[in-house]
Amino acid sequence: MKSSQKTLSSASAPPWLGTPPYSRRLLNAFDSKSLRAWIYQCLLGLLIVAFSYWLYANVVENLRSQNIATGFSFLDHTAQFEIGEKLIAFTPRDSYLRALGVGLLNTLYVTLCGIVLATLLGFSVGIARVSRNWLLARLAGGYIELMRNIPVILQVIFWSVVIRNLPSPRDAIELGSLGFLTNRGLSFSAPAAHHGWLWTGIALLAAVLISLILKRVARYMRENAGRSLPTGRLTLVAIIGLPLLVWWLSGAPAELDRPILRGFNFRGGFTVSPEFTALLLGIALYSSAFIAEIVRAGIQSIPKGQLEAARALSFSPWHMMRHIIIPQAMRVIVPPLTSQYVSLSKNSSIAVVVGYPELANISNTLMNQTGQALEVIAIMMVVYLTVSIVTSLLMNLFNRVVAIKER
């Protein structure tokens, strides 16, 4: 019955009420919000590309009129300058590109060290900030207000001046059997070159990975089988026992390379330069104050009822912090913590004021020698953008791990 009614209605419909013309269909399609948004974005993208090309062509034309070469071919030329502190081999006969590589590695090195130091200090001060101990909480609050209200560049300069006014190597401050502190930096003993130390370090990384896997397995067993796994003891055995076993099997190297005063400075061991120390302390202490406030906010976001329930169950303060407070606070801490890590990586460019040869400092030397200011600045912008994006991606992955999972 319904099919016959449809046939009758379609047969009786006049021809001018059939399929609308192409122009009408196009107008009807344009009424879609998603289509209009897509068209507007394409037009905006084309305008940005056209403006960028016009700006680039204008700059290139002005540079050519002044007989200034453009392009990145200068990166293959000989650098003809020395870099005092480097993680890879570099001589004045190497290219500008390798010099930029040295600067990039130095930037990543100080950034990584700064993130580790700032995180340790920030979490310690943030936990102390919410302590019930009145004196400890006030000291933590004073540290935060002092560090975050002094510009980071002034802190870097301050530590540089302090280190430069330390005694000379001949009157070095002896730190027992650890090393010596002078105006040339901190010199301390380091393991002598031996393949056993490398394998021991690899074993330590493997032990950390094993401990993380054990933690996930223990969580799965607890949630699905109702059984517990002594992860604390197993983790301790893995982190201590596995590296010791590998160290013993590789010959048990125990020789240390100790710093010895020769001439006007110490030779041997491992020396942390004054420039690196000043930069590291400046950016790490500055960022740690903000991280401490982030940690405080994360801890105070935990409902008080959970803490009261934990105390009623006779949880110790350590177990409360380890199993209740920190796991839940991390979901609040991680997003703003990402911004602090990105800010710390960009603050490493302040090294130019103390002479640490990171990317910005070496790039300034390149601009002075080659005159390719536009290209060098573009390289710095791309590098810092890439470092910031990679940092954000890694922290976003970590945020997914600690985020609350919907069941």
Side-chain angles (χ1 to χ4, degrees):
M1 182 68 182
K2 291 183 179 179
S3 60
S4 61
Q5 289 178 355
K6 289 182 180 179
T7 305
L8 180 61
S9 62
S10 60
S12 61
W16 58 82
L17 294 180
T19 304
Y22 179 77
S23 58
R24 179 65 59 83
R25 283 184 292 166
L26 185 62
L27 291 175
N28 292 338
F30 193 74
D31 289 338
S32 173
K33 291 184 178 180
S34 59
L35 179 61
R36 289 202 307 270
W38 185 81
I39 293 175
Y40 293 153
Q41 291 178 25
C42 290
L43 291 176
L44 179 60
L46 290 175
L47 288 175
I48 293 175
V49 170
F51 176 75
S52 301
Y53 177 76
W54 172 82
L55 186 63
Y56 171 76
N58 190 26
V59 170
V60 170
E61 184 63 27
N62 290 333
L63 291 175
R64 287 178 179 175
S65 63
Q66 300 177 18
N67 295 324
I68 299 177
T70 57
F72 296 92
S73 59
F74 72 96
L75 294 175
D76 295 330
H77 299 170
T78 304
Q80 298 180 357
F81 65 88
E82 184 59 86
I83 299 178
E85 195 167 349
K86 47 190 176 287
L87 298 177
I88 58 175
F90 179 82
T91 64
R93 295 186 297 275
D94 291 323
S95 64
Y96 287 125
L97 182 61
R98 189 172 182 83
L100 289 174
V102 173
L104 174 60
L105 290 178
N106 286 343
T107 297
L108 296 177
Y109 178 52
V110 72
T111 298
L112 181 60
C113 294
I115 286 175
V116 173
L117 181 58
T119 302
L120 294 176
L121 287 174
F123 270 78
S124 300
V125 176
I127 293 173
R129 185 76 172 84
V130 295
S131 173
R132 293 185 175 183
N133 188 307
W134 183 88
L135 180 60
L136 184 60
R138 293 301 179 273
L139 289 176
Y143 171 87
I144 292 172
E145 296 302 326
L146 176 66
M147 292 301 170
R148 72 176 180 176
N149 289 305
I150 298 177
V152 60
I153 189 171
L154 292 182
Q155 295 193 37
V156 173
I157 295 174
F158 169 79
W159 289 112
S160 177
V161 173
V162 169
I163 295 173
R164 292 298 182 185
N165 283 278
L166 290 174
S168 64
R170 293 186 179 277
D171 301 320
I173 301 175
E174 188 172 356
L175 304 176
S177 59
L178 298 178
F180 303 91
L181 182 63
T182 69
N183 57 5
R184 303 288 183 88
L186 174 63
S187 300
F188 54 89
S189 302
H194 192 280
H195 67 277
W197 294 114
L198 175 61
W199 289 110
T200 302
I202 295 175
L204 179 61
L205 293 177
V208 172
L209 181 61
I210 292 173
S211 65
L212 295 176
I213 296 175
L214 286 174
K215 182 179 178 182
R216 298 298 294 267
V217 171
R219 181 178 179 182
Y220 177 82
M221 292 176 59
R222 184 173 62 253
E223 294 179 352
N224 296 276
R227 293 184 299 175
S228 61
L229 189 68
T231 55
R233 298 176 183 177
L234 294 176
T235 299
L236 188 63
V237 171
I239 293 180
I240 296 178
L242 184 60
L244 283 177
L245 178 62
V246 173
W247 174 78
W248 179 72
L249 292 175
S250 59
E255 184 180 356
L256 295 177
D257 185 11
R258 303 181 184 278
I260 300 175
L261 181 61
R262 294 177 181 174
F264 297 99
N265 203 354
F266 286 95
R267 298 288 185 269
F270 186 80
T271 300
V272 181
S273 68
E275 296 82 10
F276 175 83
T277 305
L279 178 64
L280 177 62
L281 290 176
I283 63 177
L285 294 178
Y286 179 77
S287 298
S288 67
F290 292 92
I291 294 176
E293 283 294 274
I294 293 171
V295 172
R296 178 193 61 79
I299 292 175
Q300 291 182 340
S301 68
I302 307 300
K304 293 183 179 179
Q306 294 190 18
L307 304 182
E308 293 174 356
R311 295 190 187 99
L313 293 173
S314 301
F315 272 57
S316 66
W318 163 250
H319 283 87
M320 287 176 57
M321 187 66 65
R322 171 67 179 82
H323 298 287
I324 298 176
I325 297 177
I326 293 299
Q328 297 184 80
M330 288 300 294
R331 296 157 185 155
V332 179
I333 291 172
V334 171
L337 186 63
T338 303
S339 299
Q340 290 303 315
Y341 286 168
V342 172
S343 178
L344 188 148
S345 66
K346 292 183 290 187
N347 284 339
S348 64
S349 60
I350 299 175
V352 68
V353 301
V354 292
Y356 179 70
E358 50 79 56
L359 182 64
N361 197 350
I362 293 178
S363 297
N364 285 336
T365 304
L366 263 67
M367 285 189 288
N368 293 332
Q369 287 194 0
T370 63
Q372 308 287 138
L374 184 64
E375 291 82 355
V376 175
I377 292 175
I379 292 173
M380 283 195 295
M381 292 173 62
V382 170
V383 168
Y384 281 112
L385 176 63
T386 303
V387 172
S388 299
I389 291 177
V390 170
T391 303
S392 299
L393 289 176
L394 293 176
M395 291 301 295
N396 287 337
L397 291 176
F398 180 68
N399 189 33
R400 291 184 181 181
V401 173
V402 300
I404 298 177
K405 307 295 189 302
E406 295 184 2
R407 296 182 181 273

